[in-house]
Amino acid sequence: MGCGNSKVPLEASKKGYVGVVQSLVAFSKAHDDSDEPKKCSEKGRGPWFSTGVKSREPASSSQQPILRDGRQQDKAVKYKDKFDPRVTARYDIKALIGRGSFSRVVRVEHRATRQPFAIKMMEVEAPGGREVCASELAVLQRVSHANVIQLMEVFQFPQRVYMVLELATGGELLDRVVSRGHFTERDATQALRMALAGVGYLHNLGITHRDLKPENLLYYHPGADSRLLVTDFGLATFGGTGPELPDRNTSDEGDRTSVGRSWSLRTTCGTPEYLAPEVLLRRPYSCAVDMWALGVIAYIVLSGSMPFEDDSRTRLYRSILRGKYSFHGDQCNLGTSEPSLPPSERQPWPSVSNLAKDFIQRLLASDSAARLTADQATRHSWVVTMAAGSSTRNLHRSISQNLRQRASRSSSRCPSSNASSCHASSTEPGKADVCGK
Ligand SMILES: Nc1ncnc2c1ncn2[C@@H]1O[C@H](COP(=O)(O)OP(=O)(O)OP(=O)(O)O)[C@@H](O)[C@H]1O
């Protein structure tokens, strides 16, 4: 279940990782006209080799039911032809999972071990594909954490890159919220703690994700004890973490590599509803943008509605810059034509604790320097007390109702007049003049 518009892509021709796949292609052409994938047994030596299958325990086949097999399998047959035979010699393609802007993701089985994996096939030659692929690979080849999707092996050819990934079969974060019959603040903190663990790990490595949203948080398996995995590193970058740079304005037009929180990033990218104010203001920004996005995610998980939403991009950005959200409900939901629940029951916020609201407010702080870091967020009283306590207040009905209504009105979103009248200013006002330019 998705929340948000299509993403704002990486600005073209930035320095940094663009060159990685180019050099990979050049390397491949210069050294091997037969288009043979480069092999290596070790991670981290460079992007132009297969890393060899890693040994993280895959989900068992009994933990696979979420993938819808019928039509996907037919499509998989179609996509099999597009796969390089050197990949299909090793992996049996079972079903199509989904498509991204530059990618197709299929469920596969390792022919020798019968272990299930996902393969993300990326079109390197599509416009913009090179940058996205290079960013994703550069990050995936360096990470290993229980809450971050694990790269197992890579096959790289001039036109396509095949990333063999851990297979996540538990579905997206919000799908699970809806599919459960019961959802409490405690459940929310459990999910957020896992997301924070993954994001904190990335930040400690100097990586900023830049496209955190519920769709990019996948459960490893359908069981209640599943890990939650941060996925989709197409917009991720090295930088934005580490000691603050002495001169915040020295950055060139591209992102910089650096090793907490340095305001070293400049590229405007991400998904509109999740963009932090500093990104919209085109100021140098840091990994704090991920913490803002986690604030948006926390708001959605607890209410089923978006803190910032508008059909008009300009108005959406203006509300973000004004910090214009409220804990009083979502006018868009109130305005729907089939209100199967009375407004009081569509409003989870009166039932949500003040601590939870405080958590969100500290993440949705317009001043990025005041925003919680991943480590601070993990130690926030709401996360600590809810994880230890047993909150029984069931928010499920109103959250899932709101989420379903959002999904069903995706083609006819609520009138903007409603949206602009429904939010009260709650954080730093006064920045609206900057937006819409
Ligand atoms: N390792 C994985 N296991 C299971 N499903 C996955 C895995 N990786 C990606 N997916 C799913 O495959 C689909 C396509 O993912 P992909 O990352 O290629 O694109 P996207 O993020 O949906 O789109 P875009 O590239 O435009 O951001 C999504 O539904 C995603 O949840």
Side-chain angles (χ1 to χ4, degrees):
M1 180 173 290
C3 267
N5 284 325
S6 57
K7 69 174 83 168
V8 178
L10 274 171
E11 289 165 358
S13 60
K14 295 297 173 199
K15 290 179 186 166
Y17 296 102
V18 179
V20 175
V21 172
Q22 282 167 341
S23 64
L24 170 175
V25 172
F27 179 94
S28 175
K29 282 187 173 147
H31 291 78
D32 190 355
D33 287 341
S34 68
D35 203 16
E36 197 62 36
K38 304 298 173 279
K39 299 262 182 184
C40 179
S41 57
E42 241 177 78
K43 173 179 169 184
R45 281 199 196 152
W48 44 83
F49 44 72
S50 159
T51 54
V53 178
K54 298 216 181 63
S55 59
R56 192 179 276 191
E57 200 62 40
S60 72
S61 45
S62 64
Q63 292 170 330
Q64 309 288 321
I66 288 245
L67 302 171
R68 300 167 290 272
D69 266 353
R71 269 197 356 213
Q72 271 92 339
Q73 254 161 4
D74 296 343
K75 286 185 186 163
V77 173
K78 190 175 126 199
Y79 290 128
K80 251 180 208 174
D81 297 342
K82 302 197 175 211
F83 273 65
D84 191 281
R86 284 157 290 190
V87 178
T88 51
R90 223 162 136 79
Y91 293 94
D92 188 14
I93 294 162
K94 294 292 191 185
L96 176 73
I97 297 177
R99 301 179 65 139
S101 314
F102 307 101
S103 54
R104 292 183 186 91
V105 179
V106 291
R107 179 165 63 85
V108 301
E109 201 172 81
H110 189 268
R111 288 188 186 276
T113 65
R114 311 313 300 170
Q115 286 183 345
F117 295 103
I119 290 188
K120 184 164 181 169
M121 178 179 80
M122 299 201 69
E123 303 285 352
V124 174
E125 291 195 326
R130 232 175 261 291
E131 293 88 333
V132 170
C133 181
S135 300
E136 185 138 22
L137 257 187
V139 170
L140 285 173
Q141 289 187 314
R142 285 161 181 78
V143 295
S144 179
H145 187 275
N147 299 113
V148 177
I149 197 84
Q150 180 72 52
L151 178 71
M152 315 306 287
E153 183 172 27
V154 188
F155 295 85
Q156 300 189 75
F157 305 106
Q159 289 164 1
R160 291 198 178 120
V161 171
Y162 300 82
M163 303 177 197
V164 183
L165 300 164
E166 253 182 323
L167 177 66
T169 62
E172 294 173 10
L173 173 62
L174 295 184
D175 287 331
R176 180 162 297 203
V177 173
V178 171
S179 66
R180 303 171 64 126
H182 200 261
F183 192 79
T184 63
E185 284 187 41
R186 185 172 186 221
D187 297 320
T189 55
Q190 281 173 345
L192 288 166
R193 271 157 58 101
M194 292 191 276
L196 284 167
V199 171
Y201 167 79
L202 295 171
H203 291 180
N204 282 334
L205 282 183
I207 297 164
T208 304
H209 186 285
R210 300 200 293 189
D211 197 22
L212 289 175
K213 53 185 173 181
E215 298 92 311
N216 290 336
L217 297 173
L218 301 181
Y219 280 99
Y220 183 53
H221 66 70
D225 59 344
S226 172
R227 296 182 278 132
L228 186 65
L229 303 167
V230 178
T231 68
D232 196 354
F233 291 91
L235 296 183
T237 188
F238 288 82
T241 67
E244 188 176 346
L245 295 174
D247 177 0
R248 291 188 186 186
N249 297 315
T250 53
S251 185
D252 59 20
E253 79 281 1
D255 289 343
R256 298 170 50 153
T257 302
S258 82
V259 280
R261 229 178 229 197
S262 68
W263 281 259
S264 60
L265 304 174
R266 296 189 75 99
T267 306
T268 307
C269 63
T271 301
E273 284 81 357
Y274 300 83
L275 290 177
E278 60 270 26
V279 175
L280 297 176
L281 290 168
R282 295 187 164 258
R283 292 192 179 140
Y285 61 89
S286 73
C287 62
V289 298
D290 286 345
M291 302 312 297
W292 173 278
L294 283 171
V296 176
I297 294 170
Y299 186 105
I300 298 169
V301 163
L302 286 171
S303 68
S305 56
M306 308 282 289
F308 308 104
E309 185 172 44
D310 201 300
D311 287 340
S312 148
R313 227 13 106 81
T314 306
R315 282 195 302 266
L316 169 70
Y317 291 165
R318 195 169 288 150
S319 359
I320 294 173
L321 289 169
R322 285 186 179 143
K324 201 178 164 200
Y325 67 95
S326 81
F327 294 125
H328 303 303
D330 180 348
Q331 195 70 32
C332 297
N333 288 335
L334 292 175
T336 51
S337 55
E338 298 172 336
S340 51
L341 285 179
S344 58
E345 289 191 41
R346 273 180 280 140
Q347 300 291 336
W349 290 119
S351 308
V352 172
S353 68
N354 287 334
L355 264 182
K357 292 172 188 166
D358 182 77
F359 178 78
I360 291 170
Q361 277 167 336
R362 287 172 190 270
L363 290 172
L364 296 183
S366 296
D367 176 3
S368 60
R371 216 170 285 153
L372 294 179
T373 64
D375 188 45
Q376 290 167 335
T378 309
R379 287 186 280 110
H380 186 278
S381 317
W382 178 61
V383 176
V384 174
T385 58
M386 280 295 166
S390 54
S391 158
T392 50
R393 200 173 289 175
N394 188 8
L395 305 170
H396 179 264
R397 204 161 169 219
S398 48
I399 294 172
S400 57
Q401 174 79 10
N402 286 343
L403 285 170
R404 285 204 188 95
Q405 287 188 349
R406 282 202 81 260
S408 69
R409 63 164 199 270
S410 58
S411 54
S412 56
R413 301 179 74 180
C414 76
S416 53
S417 54
N418 276 354
S420 58
S421 62
C422 68
H423 303 288
S425 179
S426 60
T427 53
E428 293 179 18
K431 289 183 176 172
D433 294 343
V434 195
C435 81
K437 285 182 179 172

